[in-house]
Amino acid sequence: MPNRLAESLSPYLLQHQDNPVDWFPWCEEAFQLAKKLDRPIFLSVGYAACHWCHVMEHESFENEAIAEFLNNYFISVKVDREERPDVDQIYMNAVQVMSGRGGWPMSVFLDHDRRPFYAGTYWPPTQRAGMPGFAQVLDAIAAAWQDRRDEVVHHADQITAALTQLAKGTGDSVDQPAEDVELARRIVRQACDQLVRVLDRNDGGFGGAPKFPHATDLLLLLSQVAVKPNVDYRGACELTLNKMAAGGIFDHIGGGFARYSVDSKWLVPHFEKMLYDNALLATAYTRGFQVTGSGHFAAVADATLRYMARDMVDPSGGLHCSEDADSEGVEGKFYVWKPGEVTAVLGKERSDRFCQIYDITDAGNFEGTSIPNRLHATDPNAWDLPPQVLETQLAADREALRQARQKRVRPGRDDKIITAWNALAIDAFAVAGAVFDSQEWIDVATKAGQFLCSRMRRDDGRLLHAFRSGTAHLDAYVDDYALTASAFVTLYQVTADKTWIDTANQLVDSMIEHFWDDTEGGFYYTADDSETLITRNKDWHDGSLVSGNGAAVNVLLTLADLTGNDRYRQYAQRTLNTAAEILQSQSAAAASLVIGLDRFHRGNRQMVLAVPSKSDVPAWRGKLFAKHRSHTTLAWHLGDADNVALADQKSCVDGQPTLYVCEDFTCGQPLTADSVVSALAE
């Protein structure tokens, strides 16, 4: 019989519904039963696309003996980290405090009051490679709970005290980076220079293996290069973007990026594909194109967006979470090739060329098979074709292989829809639609934005976090609010539809009302009326996602410019001052906050483009977005329409498209005719 997880909406929890473990979802019933039976809680946290989560399930949670021990001595709780990032944050901090490292699956033992006293990640079922076996861990924890309860309680006290301090995330710095321009400049420079220092100068990326894309770090560097040329910053971005796009972390056949590379050369990925990675990387490649003019970056952005639009969009208009690393129980099986398989699709001549270019060999580069990549340079003259013709033929070959690959068993998909992740995708599609003059991408962004407005808001306007099978549920978190408001600002800037700004204002007002810390400043991750956990975290550091406070600062500053609401700027200012210690000592881990700090001091430029009517927007949109205007707020004035405050009184001169370029809301002479085109091209 299925266990209690059978009633869940989460695909990850549903994967465990037939385990012999007597799982509970995160609920009060589980903790009350633990107290009644005087048992510790085993908390297991993971997500649907997590390879090692599947391994631990198969090895341990499907093991009858281990399940029986868990059922007799513990209350077992299973959590989808994507549904409950608030729970995940707290107990991941506990794992890192106790073990010095983190990851998923996350395995934590709690007392009746939900306080952690022992934690780890993946354990094999029996002792192996220096790791204790899970059965051995369970036996030791059960014995400690029974025989050394005082030690358990004391340890829980200590860990909880440490988590309380970590939840705050800030120290008692008296520095005020939002008030001190020189300090702010030093912080921005320090963050960028640190990224250059840790750059892998051979293979790109920041640090060694395993290598993660670090899209927010790339966006920080690109924002600086967009304002002032810097050879080191630009070189770091170009090297990393080129190497990632050449590596196996990029799906050359179907588009999109895997989660990370297990090696330093970006060759062997951890094959799962996450929506947030692909959204942020599509944005990074689009911005890379704006800054460098690289047609290759434009092509990678397009392939990534095409993957998301083709394979991740739900019929409702929202976008799904992720695709698994495994198919048919084998990691990467869907993505790898042998030469004979390529020949069967392309024929001998085209196959030989394709395999040489994409490193597909009999020996293979991954467990006897080949991950397509272009890390090894090939002679562009070897095939006696102009480069453009060769690339056109290779594109046709890739599409033929993609069609053939569709006949394979696809990896599993987590088809739930997460608000913050969709916001990142909306932003990526909207910006790319403007930059590459693609109405298709703008339509995807608009439809997803409409989905968030219509299906992910309560009757009172508050946001919800997750959606699946026609049901939206779970209170939204601060990044849901900040990133959605930011995506709606982008939709306004791309479409000139002011209703997106009106909705963004509503979301930001709600974010301030329910997440703001009026005592110390900054935004909590959870709302004031959300479930009470053992701590209430503040999210300052960028990880896979943009930090909640970083996202909040940036959207507050943009909305302050667009609406003239200086209250938004004041909240951003206080948040940056609260983050003083993080900005000074951990800036390389907080790129979005650093972008916000730089924008606070240097983002005082505004551009308003006045056109006679909304029908004129498509003709001018590409020109407005031709450059990465990272420190400029963009707005439209449409004839007699209701316009944002920034665009008030900035109408067309003599009925012609007119550009207003302003510094600190003081505008130069309006530009018309050819002067508009020249100014937008600068």
Side-chain angles (χ1 to χ4, degrees):
M1 293 290 291
N3 56 46
R4 295 172 186 82
L5 302 185
E7 299 177 5
S8 302
L9 286 174
S10 160
Y12 175 65
L13 299 191
L14 291 172
Q15 287 172 357
H16 295 77
Q17 65 179 317
D18 294 317
N19 294 168
V21 178
D22 189 14
W23 291 113
F24 284 81
W26 181 274
C27 61
E28 185 61 31
E29 179 189 358
F31 299 106
Q32 290 300 323
L33 183 62
K35 189 171 292 188
K36 177 181 177 182
L37 298 179
D38 190 29
R39 292 183 188 175
I41 294 132
F42 169 58
L43 172 65
S44 176
V45 182
Y47 57 102
C50 168
H51 171 71
W52 286 103
C53 298
H54 300 328
V55 172
M56 191 164 179
E57 178 193 13
H58 176 66
E59 290 179 340
S60 293
F61 303 147
E62 294 176 355
N63 182 303
E64 294 285 351
I66 289 176
E68 182 179 8
F69 195 90
L70 278 167
N71 295 341
N72 288 337
Y73 294 96
F74 298 86
I75 298 298
S76 299
V77 175
K78 176 63 75 173
V79 167
D80 181 341
R81 67 173 291 257
E82 296 168 354
E83 281 194 340
R84 294 300 304 265
D86 54 339
V87 172
D88 179 69
Q89 282 183 7
I90 290 170
Y91 294 106
M92 183 57 72
N93 282 343
V95 173
Q96 292 170 337
V97 166
M98 285 186 261
S99 70
R101 61 189 183 89
W104 298 273
M106 187 204 310
S107 305
V108 190
F109 295 91
L110 317 179
D111 69 10
H112 298 154
D113 297 319
R114 312 181 194 195
R115 303 184 309 163
F117 60 88
Y118 190 73
T121 53
Y122 163 79
W123 284 302
T126 57
Q127 187 172 359
R128 187 173 71 213
M131 287 188 288
F134 186 49
Q136 178 185 358
V137 171
L138 292 176
D139 188 64
I141 294 294
W145 182 262
Q146 184 67 37
D147 303 328
R148 303 192 306 280
R149 185 74 62 89
D150 289 346
E151 292 179 26
V152 169
V153 171
H154 178 66
H155 198 48
D157 288 341
Q158 290 181 313
I159 297 300
T160 304
L163 295 179
T164 301
Q165 181 57 41
L166 282 172
K168 177 182 174 184
T170 54
D172 299 316
S173 174
V174 296
D175 291 321
Q176 303 283 294
E179 321 300 329
D180 188 334
V181 176
E182 286 306 313
L183 173 61
R185 288 176 179 169
R186 189 163 63 249
I187 288 168
V188 175
R189 208 164 43 241
Q190 168 187 298
C192 294
D193 289 349
Q194 173 63 17
L195 289 172
V196 172
R197 272 194 297 274
V198 299
L199 175 72
D200 180 336
R201 297 184 181 276
N202 292 317
D203 299 305
F206 306 107
K211 272 190 179 170
F212 289 80
H214 289 280
T216 52
D217 293 337
L218 292 168
L219 291 170
L220 168 60
L221 293 175
L222 288 166
S223 75
Q224 298 303 298
V225 179
V227 175
K228 182 180 180 180
N230 184 299
V231 173
D232 290 336
Y233 299 172
R234 176 170 170 155
C237 291
E238 288 184 313
L239 176 64
T240 301
L241 291 171
N242 277 316
K243 288 292 188 177
M244 285 195 301
I249 191 175
F250 180 63
D251 180 1
H252 292 264
I253 305 302
F257 286 85
R259 181 75 193 88
Y260 64 88
S261 174
V262 301
D263 64 293
S264 64
K265 295 184 178 297
W266 306 106
L267 172 60
V268 180
H270 196 36
F271 289 90
E272 66 204 52
K273 287 181 175 178
M274 312 300 295
L275 176 61
Y276 51 75
D277 287 320
N278 283 284
L280 285 167
L281 285 168
T283 300
Y285 278 92
T286 300
R287 296 303 191 192
F289 166 77
Q290 287 178 303
V291 169
T292 69
S294 167
H296 179 50
F297 293 168
V300 175
D302 182 80
T304 305
L305 293 162
R306 199 158 299 283
Y307 156 69
M308 290 192 287
R310 183 187 62 237
D311 294 343
M312 300 294 277
V313 173
D314 188 83
S316 68
L319 286 90
H320 296 156
C321 276
S322 62
E323 289 193 297
D324 211 330
D326 303 1
S327 54
E328 301 181 81
V330 179
E331 184 180 12
K333 184 174 182 179
F334 182 74
Y335 297 102
V336 296
W337 294 82
K338 294 182 178 180
E341 294 172 323
V342 179
T343 302
V345 178
L346 301 181
K348 184 73 167 68
E349 184 178 348
R350 293 280 279 253
S351 170
D352 286 349
R353 183 181 70 185
F354 191 91
C355 288
Q356 184 175 342
I357 291 173
Y358 285 92
D359 188 30
I360 299 171
T361 64
D362 289 324
N365 54 38
F366 175 70
E367 298 180 358
T369 60
S370 295
I371 302 166
N373 71 89
R374 296 186 74 168
L375 289 168
H376 305 288
T378 54
D379 182 359
N381 301 313
W383 294 277
D384 196 26
L385 286 172
Q388 189 172 355
V389 173
L390 174 62
E391 289 302 323
T392 299
Q393 291 184 3
L394 289 174
D397 292 343
R398 291 194 301 269
E399 177 58 19
L401 291 170
R402 188 191 70 80
Q403 294 282 0
R405 196 176 73 175
Q406 288 294 95
K407 299 173 184 176
R408 299 177 179 179
V409 176
R410 283 195 74 94
R413 179 182 303 166
D414 187 330
D415 61 353
K416 70 177 179 292
I417 297 169
I418 299 293
T419 297
W421 304 11
N422 272 250
L424 291 172
I426 291 167
D427 195 81
F429 278 105
V431 171
V435 172
F436 303 124
D437 191 26
S438 170
Q439 188 61 46
E440 179 185 0
W441 297 153
I442 294 171
D443 290 344
V444 172
T446 301
K447 189 174 180 182
Q450 291 167 344
F451 168 81
L452 293 186
C453 285
S454 63
R455 304 301 298 271
M456 300 304 291
R457 297 180 77 188
R458 303 186 330 200
D459 292 342
D460 62 0
R462 299 275 296 277
L463 277 175
L464 294 166
H465 174 66
F467 176 97
R468 186 171 183 267
S469 300
T471 300
H473 68 133
L474 301 171
D475 292 337
Y477 305 100
V478 71
D479 55 350
D480 291 315
Y481 280 87
L483 291 171
T484 300
S486 181
F488 288 176
V489 168
T490 302
L491 277 171
Y492 158 73
Q493 293 176 322
V494 168
T495 65
D497 184 345
K498 181 178 174 285
T499 58
W500 293 115
I501 294 296
D502 297 336
T503 308
N505 283 333
Q506 294 167 14
L507 293 176
V508 165
D509 288 343
S510 186
M511 179 180 76
I512 292 169
E513 179 182 356
H514 294 288
F515 294 85
W516 179 252
D517 178 358
D518 202 41
T519 302
E520 296 189 6
F523 292 89
Y524 287 109
Y525 190 70
T526 54
D528 53 3
D529 54 358
S530 295
E531 178 186 355
T532 301
L533 302 173
I534 61 170
T535 60
R536 193 178 178 202
N537 274 14
K538 288 182 183 174
D539 182 26
W540 299 102
H541 300 95
D542 297 328
S544 305
L545 289 163
V546 180
S547 75
N549 275 290
V553 165
N554 282 285
V555 73
L556 285 165
L557 290 174
T558 305
L559 278 174
D561 276 3
L562 288 169
T563 66
N565 186 344
D566 195 55
R567 173 171 164 261
Y568 292 161
R569 185 173 178 84
Q570 291 168 9
Y571 279 107
Q573 182 175 4
R574 190 171 177 202
T575 302
L576 290 168
N577 286 335
T578 301
E581 183 174 305
I582 289 166
L583 285 165
Q584 291 180 85
S585 64
Q586 303 165 42
S587 60
S592 60
L593 271 176
V594 175
I595 291 170
L597 178 64
D598 194 43
R599 181 76 190 272
F600 181 84
H601 285 291
R602 294 204 293 167
N604 300 318
R605 195 167 191 253
Q606 302 88 34
M607 297 178 85
V608 179
L609 185 57
V611 292
S613 71
K614 195 170 183 179
S615 63
D616 296 294
V617 169
W620 286 94
R621 180 166 48 213
K623 297 178 180 65
L624 191 62
F625 279 83
K627 300 291 184 180
H628 181 17
R629 309 184 198 280
S630 59
H631 291 66
T632 302
T633 299
L634 306 177
W636 297 87
H637 184 285
L638 304 180
D640 296 325
D642 178 25
N643 292 292
V644 296
L646 177 59
D648 282 349
Q649 309 303 315
K650 297 180 179 70
S651 57
C652 294
V653 174
D654 297 330
Q656 300 181 72
T658 305
L659 180 67
Y660 296 81
V661 181
C662 316
E663 297 279 349
D664 291 320
F665 301 95
T666 301
C667 302
Q669 285 292 108
L671 305 173
T672 58
D674 292 342
S675 298
V676 178
V677 177
S678 298
L680 291 175
E682 290 178 358

